[in-house]
Structure formats: C-alpha cells, structure tokens
Amino acid sequence: MRYTLLTSLISLLLLACCGASANPDGLAHSDTTKDLSEKAWYHVFPTPNSDYTATSSFIMATLDTDHLDKSTDADDHSIVTSWTVEANIDQDNPIGYAVCPKEHHQQDKIKAVAAWLKALTGQEPLEHFELDNSLDFWTLDMTLAQADQVAKNPDIEWIEVDEIGHTNGVIPRAVEMPTELDAALSAASNESQSKQQRAGPIEFVSQKDAVTELVAVSQPSTVPDISNLNTYEKHGGSKSFIYHLEEGVLVKDLSQVRILVADTTMESILNWEQEFPKVAPARLQTLRAIQTGLQPDAPPPSFREHTTCTADKALGQEYGVAKGATLVVVQISRDAVTEVLDGLRLIVRDLMEHPERQKHSVVTASIAFLSKNTDLKMRVKNTMELIMNMDVPVVVSAGNAGNKPGRHFVDEIPAVLATPDFPLVVVGSVNQKGELSKWSQDGPKITTRAVGEAITCYYGLTVTHSQQGTSYSAPQVAGQIAVWLSYDTVPQGIDTSSGKLARSMRDYLATNPAAGWEREIGVRVLWNGVTESDVPFTSATLKKECFDIASRKYVERDLLRAIIEDKFCPDFVGHGSISRRYNENTMADVQISIEYNSNEPRTKDLCIRYLLGELVDACYHPADNPANYKAGGTAILGDVTFKIEPQANRQDTRPGVDMGCSSAYKGFYNEYWVWGHGFASDDWGENLENQLKGCALFPNTWGFGYGLGDNGREWSVHFKTGVFQKHCVGNALHTAGAPADKWCSGSG
C-alpha cells in the first residue's frame, strides 16, 4: 500500500502527540486523552535521505503555519533529525481521498469494492475514469480511521489525500474598487481603434488607453516607454482556442458590458459589446461540477473573482491579449488534484473530438499543488504530456512564494515539472517597469514573464485595478500564443510539425528575440513582436511644437486649409513621405511635409487630422492676433513627423487685416495706389485684379508687388481706371478681402 505524505504526516503527528518523546521545555507530556480540537506540540521525524527543504515547506503548508522548529544532528548540522510544530489535528474530521482499486475492468469486483466503501463511509464513491472510459479511482470523504481501514483492504492498490491546491493570486492591496459595471465605463470611454496593414497577412489595431500590462506586451526594446498604447494583431487569435481550466467564467453576467466607442464621424456613441463574445458552445464540466449543480457561465461567488479575471487577461475584449480567440470553458468544482486531472482529461477528449483545434489551441491553468510526486500528480503530468503531444502548449503560473525563505525558485506542481523534455510554459511576474516581482518565484524553470502587479480585470462583476500574482501573468502569455497560432504563417522560429509545436513554442518564448527581451538584467519579459513601424501612429503619444507667431512668419488659416485639403493631402496619399512648397515668394510662402515611416495605410483623413487639426486649428495664438494667423509647427507621432513651416517674413499681426488706398483724378482716368496686409497674400493680386475689371480697369496698367513697408503693408499695386470709379474700386477691394470699413481716399 502507498500513502500520501499528508496521510503519513497526520499519523506521525498523532504518534508524536501520544508517544513518549520529550516535549519542548515548559510543556507537559501529551497522552491519549489529549483533546485534539485544541492545538498541541508535535514532533515530526524525516525519513532517511529526505529533501529537508521540500519536506519542511510541505509541513508548514499542510498545517498552515509559518513556524517550524528544527533540530539537527549534533555532529553534522546539515542533517535534520526532527521538527517541532504546534498544530491542530482532528482525526474525526473527514477529508477528501482518492482510492484506486487493484481491479479496473472486472465490473463485479469493482462494484463489490464500491459497495464496501459506501458501507464504510455512508457515501456513494464518485467515479473517475481513464481516457479509455475504464475506472481509474474513486473520491470520497473519510476520517483518518476510515482511511486506515481502506489502506489495509487487499483490493485497494493505493489511497491518497485529494490535495486541495491554490491559485497563484496574491492578496491584493487595499484599494477602493468600483462596485458596479458602470465603473468600467470611464475606463473604456477613451478606447478607440485604428487599423494598420503591412505587407503580408498580419494586420494591426491599437487600443488607446490600454491597461499597463497590455502596454508592456507591446513594448519593443527600442522604446523605453510607450504610454497608453497596446498594439496587437487585428484578428487577435481569431482562429485559435484558449482552454481555460478553473471554476468557470462569468460569461453570462458579463454578456453586456458597456463600452464607449467612437464612430466614423468621431462622435461618441454608446455601444454594447461582450467582454467574452466568442465562447465555444460546448462547456466542459467535470462530473463533480455537474453533480454539484455548478454553472460554467456563472461560477459561485467563492470562485468567480479569480477565475473570471484570469480568463479576462487571456482574451477579454477590454483587458485581454487575444481579443479574437475563442474561449473554451473547462469547469472544475474545486482546486483539488482529482478535479484538475479530470479537467485535463476533458481537454484531451475535446481535442480528440475536434482535431482541427490541434495546433490552434493553448491551455492556461493558474492552480498549484505542493511539490510531492504522488500517483495523482503523476497522472496530472502524464495527461499534460498527452495534450502537449497533440501540439497544444500548456501554460502555468510560476508561484508567488518567492519572498519566503528557501522558496525563490519554482517549487510547486505543475510548474516544477518543467524540463527540457517536458515543455510546460512557466510564467513569472514583473511589475510595470519590468522588474521582477519580489514574490514571484523564479529560476531555471521559468520560460518568460509578464506583468502580474496592479492588474486590471473584471474581478467577478467589478473592475479591479489591484490584483497581483503569477495567476494573471500566465494567461497573458497564453493569449499571445493564441495570437501567434492564428497567423496564416506563424512567426519564424515556431515549428508546427506534428509533435514538435509545444516544445518549439516554449523555446520560442524563452529565447527568440522576437518573443521577449530583458527589461532588466536576467529578467526576460513577453513581447508580441510589434516594432515602432507597426505602431499605428494615431495611437501614439502626440509630441507637438507650435511655432511662435511673434517670429512674424505665418499664413492665413483659410489659405492653409485649402492647401492641406485640396493639394497636399491628396498628394501624400499617392506618394507617402513628401515635402512641398506652396506660394513661393509670396507672403503665404509655406513648406509642408510629412515624413512617413509607418506601415499604416495613408489616408487623406489622417493627413488632414494632424496637419489641419493639430498644427493649424489646435495651435492657438490668441494674443495680438485678431485675424487668427497661423505660425505652423511640428508634430511627431511614433515614426511619423508632420511639419508646417511658413517661409516669408511678415508684418506685425496686431493690425489684423489692413488696407490703404489713394486715388488721384487725372482728367481722363484715375490713378490708384493700394497696399494691403492679410489678403491677396498668395496670388500676386490675381483675384483683386479680376474684381477690378468691373471698374473700368485700364489694360497694361497693373503693377503688383510684394514687399514690406513702414505703413504696415505687405504688398502694393498701381493701376488706372476710368473716371468716377472710386466707389466701385472700394467694393472690389472689400470683395477681395479688404476690411469693410476701409475705403479709398482722394479724388475721382
């Protein structure tokens, strides 16, 4: 017969309590009448050649204590002879066990043993089946005395405690959290998306004001900081499936999450979207989950927070990595070894029934157990191996005990099982700066890391910004794997040959420069491979300089608008990076340019938005500028630079638009001298001349020229008309842009 360490530990503690071993100073000897509902001191003795560190960690975790007194050999202090611990052991309190019969196929024998177990415990044993549907073991609750009887039954192969594991979420910091779904509205209200296409099948979109952990995934090593930017492949894993192994996902209650988006006219509209819009129709539930009445889309309150958050980080619309992937809910009833095993077996069966999902799926699990190889845990390992052999990577969390003595390295199952030949993807945690989280377990078992601090997600029905743990790092990596597996052509370095994908994906994440980089020495962090040229510049942080209008280099706003909309932007769409000079040698002489190194499609709307919208209309010069002249500027968005550079030296802006006109009667004609500022700045007086043709303008008398003068002029013109045309000339000047309160002086 084989027992688990926990069963043996309880037995040892009972023997130590009731035996004659010396108790710590000041404590009376224990005896068989000791009330075991109260705490007592116990001695625990290791077996020869034990792993003392692992065993002591196991004892403390099992008995939920941080204090364990160690005694060592007098001659060799590296040898532990015993530990002393204060604990509460109640041998009459039933706990869960797994019981494996020797006979797995003879139904009469199986039924007889099951009937005996029912008679012993008063419970119907719950059956657990192998992949070939033969009985593997039963689970049921038993007292220690009942377990001892089962262990002595010659028809039982082994009995093992059904260990309850834990999720790798750290207790969050105390913060004020939103209490309703409405709290998500403000976080989502700034979200907008813009499309980008580059050569090949990969198309990108960007999520503006994305949460920090998503920003970190998109951060290339060439950019120390990308504020409020998450760039990801447009389809976001749309051809992939993410098997989420936990207690279900709150799909039903989050089916209508309020997200504020922008329509094509840039007006805000309220749109209803689902946080989990793509869920496989068939939910996978363990037999215990079904028998206890659990709903896969509405897990009970005791589980819904953690399990919904981990799913959200993998593929949630607001807070997830693979926004287009399909969620496959794999619901277990509790974090027990037997339930995890049954959940993994459900995944194997589902992949066998849907072979098209192989090479297009990933499994994420953020549950851990103590590192002790038992029959059940070896079954967990073997089933994970089956999944990986079907070309489906398995992603697990590294653990959160890194700041505890002796536990810096990964030491829990399943993460500790990872080896070069057993290619689990083991994920640790970093903070927003890329620094290793002080509690994240680390070491050679780690594949990569992702942000696991100050996580934002749907934590049940509320949005939290304070969750911490490798539980939330692992699903981000699973989401990115789903994205890569959804490409028509996977990234170079991932081998999708049958039987090789899981190991190749693990190696790609661990070593390929396109899948991660060190944010600090020795701390490699997940990266989705997006480069600066892939970043849609409409989502980048705008760096803008508006030129000073006091320099007296400026252009009329309406002239700039006409140039940008009618000339420059259409030219840009056809040519890309361009620099054009307009109205050369006039007062409206201006150089406009775009240096365009982005893969985003060139559109007229984008060109107008940043040249006219940002460098013209959003560059304000209110002081001493009544005519709203524009001095231009420079705007930089990622790899794109916009410039508007007025070239001509002009007059002071304070007079606004101004004019002077004098007329002299010459008998048979009138002679005019006109000067102006703020109109006729770009066309050498052509428009004004056309207006004056209705005023008996004499041919071959037009003499127009640009030049500054002491009276504020920027140009002047001499011309002749017939007599009695002074009022007509004034009206023509007004039509051409002169101030309405200015008229011509003089005779005629």
Side-chain angles (χ1 to χ4, degrees):
M1 303 294 175
R2 294 194 295 273
Y3 298 85
T4 65
L5 181 57
L6 179 57
T7 307
S8 302
L9 175 59
I10 294 173
S11 300
L12 282 171
L13 291 175
L14 289 171
L15 289 172
C17 175
C18 301
S21 299
N23 286 329
D25 293 341
L27 293 178
H29 289 284
S30 300
D31 56 36
T32 56
T33 61
K34 176 70 180 177
D35 182 0
L36 293 178
S37 64
E38 299 177 358
K39 283 191 174 183
W41 288 95
Y42 300 88
H43 292 303
V44 183
F45 303 91
T47 58
N49 302 317
S50 294
D51 183 336
Y52 301 130
T53 300
T55 305
S56 62
S57 297
F58 179 85
I59 295 170
M60 288 189 290
T62 302
L63 299 178
D64 192 22
T65 180
D66 292 327
H67 185 71
L68 195 65
D69 289 331
K70 178 175 66 175
S71 298
T72 60
D73 186 90
D75 298 323
D76 186 351
H77 293 297
S78 66
I79 299 175
V80 177
T81 57
S82 68
W83 295 277
T84 304
V85 61
E86 187 180 25
N88 181 346
I89 305 298
D90 186 354
Q91 57 185 325
D92 295 323
N93 182 36
I95 61 174
Y97 285 87
V99 179
C100 180
K102 286 185 176 179
E103 178 53 57
H104 295 266
H105 299 285
Q106 293 185 19
Q107 292 302 312
D108 291 344
K109 194 71 171 178
I110 292 172
K111 290 179 180 179
V113 177
W116 179 80
L117 288 171
K118 181 178 180 180
L120 175 68
T121 64
Q123 304 169 55
E124 191 73 45
L126 181 66
E127 296 176 317
H128 298 259
F129 296 95
E130 292 271 16
L131 290 171
D132 63 1
N133 293 320
S134 63
L135 177 69
D136 189 6
F137 55 85
W138 297 284
T139 52
L140 66 168
D141 294 341
M142 292 183 285
T143 65
L144 186 61
Q146 291 169 338
D148 188 58
Q149 291 187 55
V150 172
K152 295 174 181 177
N153 189 321
D155 292 323
I156 301 300
E157 182 177 355
W158 53 260
I159 176 174
E160 178 175 323
V161 171
D162 189 8
E163 182 186 331
I164 302 298
H166 61 90
T167 54
N168 279 317
V170 176
I171 296 175
R173 298 167 295 173
V175 296
E176 183 177 350
M177 296 185 188
T179 57
E180 301 291 341
L181 282 176
D182 290 339
L185 188 58
S186 61
S189 62
N190 293 324
E191 181 176 287
S192 63
Q193 293 187 338
S194 59
K195 300 178 181 179
Q196 174 178 346
Q197 180 72 50
R198 69 177 178 186
I202 301 176
E203 187 176 351
F204 291 92
V205 296
S206 66
Q207 180 178 338
K208 193 171 179 62
D209 298 322
V211 294
T212 305
E213 53 268 29
L214 299 185
V215 174
V217 175
S218 300
Q219 183 178 347
S221 59
T222 55
V223 179
D225 178 35
I226 303 179
S227 300
N228 297 324
L229 173 65
N230 175 38
T231 302
Y232 54 92
E233 199 269 332
K234 175 186 177 182
H235 301 288
S238 60
K239 299 178 183 178
S240 297
F241 298 82
I242 298 180
Y243 287 83
H244 179 264
L245 178 61
E246 217 170 315
E247 282 85 1
V249 179
L250 202 61
V251 173
K252 183 181 296 184
D253 290 330
L254 291 180
S255 62
Q256 288 188 319
V257 176
R258 277 170 277 189
I259 302 176
L260 202 63
V261 299
D263 66 9
T264 55
T265 64
M266 305 302 291
E267 296 175 356
S268 295
I269 60 174
L270 193 62
N271 185 33
W272 290 85
E273 295 186 3
Q274 294 179 323
E275 184 66 2
F276 301 108
K278 294 179 65 178
V279 185
R283 277 44 162 187
L284 309 182
Q285 288 182 281
T286 64
L287 182 59
R288 183 184 291 274
I290 294 172
Q291 290 186 349
T292 53
L294 296 184
Q295 298 298 316
D297 292 355
S302 57
F303 294 119
R304 66 175 51 172
E305 289 86 1
H306 183 276
T307 186
T308 301
C309 183
T310 54
D312 205 13
K313 297 320 299 176
L315 75 172
Q317 292 301 288
E318 283 193 78
Y319 305 122
V321 174
K323 301 179 188 296
T326 298
L327 170 65
V328 183
V329 178
V330 186
Q331 187 183 41
I332 59 178
S333 67
R334 57 181 182 174
D335 297 332
V337 179
T338 55
E339 283 294 281
V340 171
L341 174 58
D342 282 356
L344 291 170
R345 286 173 171 173
L346 286 172
I347 294 172
V348 172
R349 292 189 180 99
D350 195 65
L351 290 169
M352 294 173 67
E353 293 173 3
H354 299 280
E356 73 280 0
R357 294 184 183 179
Q358 298 175 29
K359 299 187 180 183
H360 293 284
S361 297
V362 59
V363 175
T364 178
S366 294
I367 303 171
F369 301 92
L370 298 171
S371 178
K372 181 65 178 179
N373 292 338
T374 66
D375 290 282
L376 287 175
K377 291 171 186 174
M378 287 304 96
R379 280 166 164 75
V380 168
K381 178 181 179 181
N382 293 339
T383 309
M384 284 184 166
E385 188 168 27
L386 283 175
I387 293 171
M388 291 187 288
N389 287 342
M390 299 170 80
D391 296 309
V392 175
V394 178
V395 183
V396 299
S397 50
N400 303 332
N403 56 347
K404 294 184 178 180
R407 300 197 63 191
H408 175 70
F409 292 140
V410 169
D411 63 359
E412 293 182 315
I413 288 176
V416 76
L417 299 174
T419 66
D421 295 325
F422 191 74
L424 286 178
V425 175
V426 181
V427 183
S429 171
V430 293
N431 62 20
Q432 291 84 351
K433 296 179 181 179
E435 301 165 340
L436 184 67
S437 299
K438 62 181 181 180
W439 38 259
S440 179
Q441 289 175 271
D442 210 62
K445 301 285 185 179
I446 295 293
T447 306
T448 190
R449 302 165 189 84
V451 173
E453 297 188 31
I455 291 295
T456 299
C457 64
Y458 279 102
Y459 198 67
L461 285 173
T462 62
V463 175
T464 176
H465 308 282
S466 61
Q467 293 306 304
Q468 302 186 86
T470 55
S471 278
Y472 311 113
S473 304
Q476 295 176 58
V477 175
Q480 188 55 48
I481 290 173
V483 171
W484 286 327
L485 292 179
S486 191
Y487 287 178
D488 291 334
T489 302
V490 299
Q492 186 176 4
I494 300 175
D495 187 351
T496 58
S497 302
S498 295
K500 295 182 179 180
L501 191 150
R503 177 180 295 196
S504 178
M505 183 64 73
R506 188 272 314 271
D507 294 343
Y508 182 77
L509 281 162
T511 62
N512 197 294
W517 55 280
E518 292 189 359
R519 309 297 167 96
E520 64 176 14
I521 296 176
V523 180
R524 179 179 170 89
V525 180
L526 174 69
W527 175 41
N528 62 11
V530 170
T531 64
E532 290 182 78
S533 62
D534 294 323
V535 175
F537 69 85
T538 54
S539 300
T541 300
L542 177 65
K543 300 177 182 178
K544 184 174 71 173
E545 177 189 3
C546 295
F547 296 154
D548 189 355
I549 205 163
S551 67
R552 296 191 179 184
K553 289 187 176 183
Y554 54 85
V555 179
E556 288 82 345
R557 188 266 179 194
D558 287 344
L559 293 181
L560 284 174
R561 180 198 57 76
I563 292 170
I564 291 168
E565 291 182 348
D566 301 334
K567 297 178 181 179
F568 183 86
C569 286
D571 200 5
F572 156 74
V573 172
H575 296 88
S577 295
I578 58 171
S579 180
R580 299 287 186 266
R581 189 168 179 177
Y582 301 94
N583 306 324
E584 193 168 356
N585 298 320
T586 71
M587 290 296 108
D589 192 343
V590 62
Q591 184 92 15
I592 302 178
S593 63
I594 293 182
E595 184 179 344
Y596 199 83
N597 297 317
S598 173
N599 289 326
E600 186 169 354
R602 301 188 299 269
T603 68
K604 182 178 177 181
D605 288 343
L606 292 175
C607 175
I608 292 172
R609 176 180 175 183
Y610 289 97
L611 285 175
L612 182 61
E614 292 292 344
L615 293 183
V616 176
D617 291 339
C619 280
Y620 302 105
H621 309 284
D624 300 324
N625 185 24
N628 194 28
Y629 296 119
K630 298 297 180 179
T634 300
I636 301 175
L637 296 98
D639 280 354
V640 181
T641 301
F642 303 85
K643 285 186 180 180
I644 298 177
E645 301 173 287
Q647 301 294 306
N649 292 311
R650 301 187 65 171
Q651 296 283 11
D652 195 321
T653 60
R654 285 177 290 183
V657 179
D658 202 3
M659 178 201 78
C661 175
S662 61
S663 171
Y665 175 68
K666 299 294 183 178
F668 295 102
Y669 62 90
N670 271 52
E671 189 174 70
Y672 291 86
W673 182 69
V674 179
W675 62 266
H677 169 212
F679 69 104
S681 301
D682 65 324
D683 65 351
W684 291 90
E686 181 180 347
N687 180 44
L688 176 58
E689 183 180 10
N690 289 333
Q691 299 298 327
L692 288 169
K693 288 179 180 179
C695 300
L697 178 66
F698 281 15
N700 302 319
T701 63
W702 184 260
F704 185 97
Y706 288 107
L708 305 183
D710 293 341
N711 57 359
R713 70 178 183 270
E714 293 184 333
W715 55 263
S716 60
V717 61
H718 290 85
F719 58 90
K720 297 176 182 178
T721 70
V723 295
F724 310 120
Q725 298 295 320
K726 188 170 69 171
H727 188 77
C728 177
V729 169
N731 286 332
L733 287 168
H734 296 157
T735 302
D741 61 343
K742 296 291 182 74
W743 294 89
C744 293
S745 62
S747 57

